[in-house]
């Protein structure tokens, strides 16, 4: 199994204690200091040791599991991320169930996470210190703890809900407070390919209602390996001292705003790509100029003139064969001209202290991209390695021929791609800054 995190009775109780800020464990039971009122007539006082044990057992019986899915013999549950900004997918499928036809019918049910999935998130995400301190974390905690002490059917349940709030367990309260959506699949045929079934349903849904979701955890549930506000705080923020090229700024803003790693990476790559024609043509001019300026060159000798012609002809042939300038060569030239390796390394360390060693010791598997040694003494060699890695990652993102390996698989490789984004982003930032004009 991938992404294994130990979830047992002890870890669940520990997580409950932290979330509710109360140590109320007696003989394996967890009792709240103050009951949570879920309707005018009903309150939740805690959970029993028997329920905690059953949830832990169920989680650990999963035949396959990762951070966003649990799969058993005849059932599976997948966390979903809506890909439309207005929430059309969630509104359409909220609390709905669909059963297929045939000899082996499959049932698809959408709604809040199961008690098991809620317990898993409780023991993983809700134990992450940075998440607990974040605005999103505090908001979720407030909902789970009862918020403004109104009944939970008012404070938790969305206005658009079709069904009244049904809460029988403390884990139901937690599941509601997380405001996450899961897809539960039940199959009569044992050991079905549940991931294929889930993705097939998501395609069917997108095709018919023009709203999309994918399997995965919402970004706020993912443990953050990178701190976003890396450079300054509000009280030390200053007005800019340079103006920057508008086209480059727009690409950069698109990258910062992008919620899909592929789009973020390509937005930053386009900043470097903006200068490909310019640096490639200037490089050709410099090659010709160097040949003419060489003291051994003579305009009277035919072979010397022919050598210059060969330089131009070779480049023109490459451009024709490749449908444009040599992109990897152009990327190398852009980096050589505008990127300072020590500054890039310092930015990476400030952003995430593990990244420099990660690039030094790891390839990007989905792209077949090479390692980058930031500890070397030759900056030109390091820049060359950076250019190759960036270009291979870019190719993996934009080319998807069947049978071509390695290649990027949407969503499946997002975690790996996310670790490539800082290298591309900080490279792009230096290029933007290099073209700034002092106010």
């Amino acid at each position: 199994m991938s992404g294994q995190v130990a979830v047992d009775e002890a870890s669940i109780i520990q997580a409950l204690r932290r979330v509710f800020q109360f140590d109320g464990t007696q003989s394996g039971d967890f009792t709240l200091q103050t009951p949570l009122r879920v309707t005018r007539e009903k309150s939740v006082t805690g959970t029993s040791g028997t329920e905690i044990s059953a949830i832990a057992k169920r989680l650990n019986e999963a035949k396959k599991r990762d951070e966003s899915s649990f799969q058993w013999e005849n059932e599976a549950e997948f966390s979903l991320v809506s890909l439309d900004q207005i929430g059309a997918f969630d509104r359409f499928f909220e609390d709905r169930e669909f059963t297929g036809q045939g000899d082996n019918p499959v049932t698809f049910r959408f709604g809040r996470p199961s008690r098991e999935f809620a317990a898993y998130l409780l023991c993983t995400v809700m134990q992450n210190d940075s998440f607990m301190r974040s605005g999103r974390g505090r908001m979720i905690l407030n909902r789970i703890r009862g918020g403004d002490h109104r009944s939970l059917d008012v404070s938790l349940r969305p206005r658009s809900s079709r069904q009244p709030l049904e809460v029988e367990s403390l884990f139901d309260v937690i599941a509601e407070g997380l405001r996450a959506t899961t897809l539960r699949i039940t199959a009569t045929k044992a050991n079905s390919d549940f991931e294929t079934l889930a993705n097939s349903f998501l395609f069917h849904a997108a095709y018919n209602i023009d709203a999309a979701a994918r399997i995965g955890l919402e970004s706020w549930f993912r443990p953050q390996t990178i701190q976003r506000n890396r450079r300054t705080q509000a009280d030390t923020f200053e007005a800019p001292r340079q103006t920057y090229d508008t086209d480059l700024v727009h690409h950069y803003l698109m990258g910062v705003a992008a919620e899909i790693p592929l789009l973020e990476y390509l937005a930053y790559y386009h900043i470097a790509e903006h200068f490909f024609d310019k640096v490639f043509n200037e490089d050709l001019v410099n090659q010709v100029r160097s040949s003419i300026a060489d003291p051994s060159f003579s305009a009277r000798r035919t072979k010397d003139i022919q050598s210059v012609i060969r330089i131009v002809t070779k480049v023109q042939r490459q451009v024709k064969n490749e449908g444009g300038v040599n992109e990897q060569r152009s990327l190398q030239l852009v980096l050589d001209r505008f990127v300072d390796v020590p500054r890039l390394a310092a930015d990476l360390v400030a952003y995430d202290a593990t990244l420099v060693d990660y690039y030094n010791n790891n390839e990007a598997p989905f792209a077949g991209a090479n390692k980058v040694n930031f500890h070397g003494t030759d900056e030109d060699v390091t820049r060359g390695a950076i250019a190759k890695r960036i270009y291979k990652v870019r190719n993996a993102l934009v080319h998807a021929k069947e049978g071509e390996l390695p290649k990027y698989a949407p969503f499946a490789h997002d975690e790996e791609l996310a670790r490539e984004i800082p290298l591309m982003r900080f490279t792009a930032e230096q290029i933007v800054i290099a073209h700034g004009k002092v106010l």
Side-chain angles (χ1 to χ4, degrees), residues 42 64 128 156 165 186 213 234 239 278 307 331 344 360 415:
K42 183 187 297 184
K64 181 180 179 183
N128 182 278
L156 285 180
L165 180 65
T186 304
K278 177 182 178 181
S307 69
L331 178 60
L344 180 57
N360 185 55
E415 288 297 312

Side-chain angles (χ1 to χ4, degrees), residues 335-379:
L335 266 60
D336 286 343
R337 184 172 302 186
F338 304 122
V339 175
D340 177 75
V341 172
R343 176 176 177 173
L344 180 57
D347 277 342
L348 290 168
V349 170
Y351 206 48
D352 183 336
T354 69
L355 282 176
V356 166
D357 286 336
Y358 174 79
Y359 298 134
N360 185 55
N361 298 318
N362 298 276
E363 299 177 348
F366 68 89
N370 52 283
K371 300 175 183 178
V372 177
N373 181 13
F374 278 95
H375 303 300
T377 57
D378 191 330
E379 286 191 31

Side-chain angles (χ1 to χ4, degrees), residues 1 3 5 12 23 38 43 90 121 164-165 234 262 265 268 278 360 374 382 389 426 430 434:
M1 299 181 199
V5 176
I12 292 174
D23 183 357
V38 295
S43 296
D90 287 339
L121 291 176
L165 180 65
L262 180 148
Y265 192 93
Y268 298 136
K278 177 182 178 181
N360 185 55
F374 278 95
T382 303
R389 186 174 183 120
F426 298 147
Q430 288 201 37

Side-chain angles (χ1 to χ4, degrees), residues 183-327:
L183 167 61
R184 293 192 231 181
I185 303 176
T186 304
T188 54
K189 182 180 178 181
N191 300 315
S192 297
D193 187 343
F194 288 105
E195 187 167 352
T196 297
L197 288 171
N199 281 310
S200 297
F201 190 96
L202 294 176
F203 169 77
H204 183 74
Y207 180 89
N208 283 282
I209 68 169
D210 200 31
R214 67 173 176 85
I215 297 170
L217 279 180
E218 289 281 11
S219 58
W220 59 77
F221 286 139
R222 293 181 180 276
Q224 297 297 311
T225 58
I226 296 174
Q227 296 299 315
R228 301 301 294 174
N229 296 324
R230 70 185 191 277
R231 291 206 172 101
T232 189
Q233 301 298 322
D235 58 349
T236 59
F237 188 86
E238 299 177 349
R241 291 182 288 274
Q242 291 193 122
T243 60
Y244 304 100
D245 182 279
T246 299
D247 287 342
L248 302 184
V249 168
H250 286 171
H251 284 303
Y252 184 76
L253 295 179
M254 180 179 289
V256 172
E259 296 183 358
I260 298 176
L262 180 148
L263 297 180
E264 184 175 1
Y265 192 93
L266 292 179
Y268 298 136
Y269 181 85
H270 288 157
I271 291 173
E273 190 177 40
H274 184 86
F275 296 99
F276 281 3
D277 283 338
K278 177 182 178 181
V279 297
F280 191 82
N281 291 330
E282 288 179 355
D283 181 61
L284 175 58
V285 170
N286 289 333
Q287 290 183 57
V288 172
R289 182 181 288 118
S290 295
S291 296
I292 295 173
D294 192 294
S296 65
F297 177 84
S298 173
R300 298 177 181 276
R301 284 196 295 266
T302 300
K303 69 173 185 177
D304 289 354
I305 298 297
Q306 288 176 335
S307 69
V308 174
I309 293 173
R310 281 195 296 271
I311 292 174
V312 177
T313 302
K314 179 182 178 182
V315 171
Q316 289 178 331
R317 187 182 301 115
Q318 288 178 337
V319 170
K320 181 179 179 180
N321 291 340
E322 298 176 13
V325 300
N326 183 316
E327 289 205 355

Side-chain angles (χ1 to χ4, degrees), residues 9 12 16 25 43 48 54 56 73 95 105 110 133 139-140 143 196 201 212 267 282 288 312 362 371 392 421 425 433:
E9 293 96 322
I12 292 174
L16 289 170
T25 307
S43 296
S48 68
E73 186 170 335
D95 295 323
F110 294 82
R133 291 193 298 268
M139 182 171 63
I140 290 175
R143 283 201 300 262
T196 297
F201 190 96
E282 288 179 355
V288 172
V312 177
N362 298 276
K371 300 175 183 178
K392 287 183 177 180
I421 288 174
R425 175 175 175 172
I433 293 169

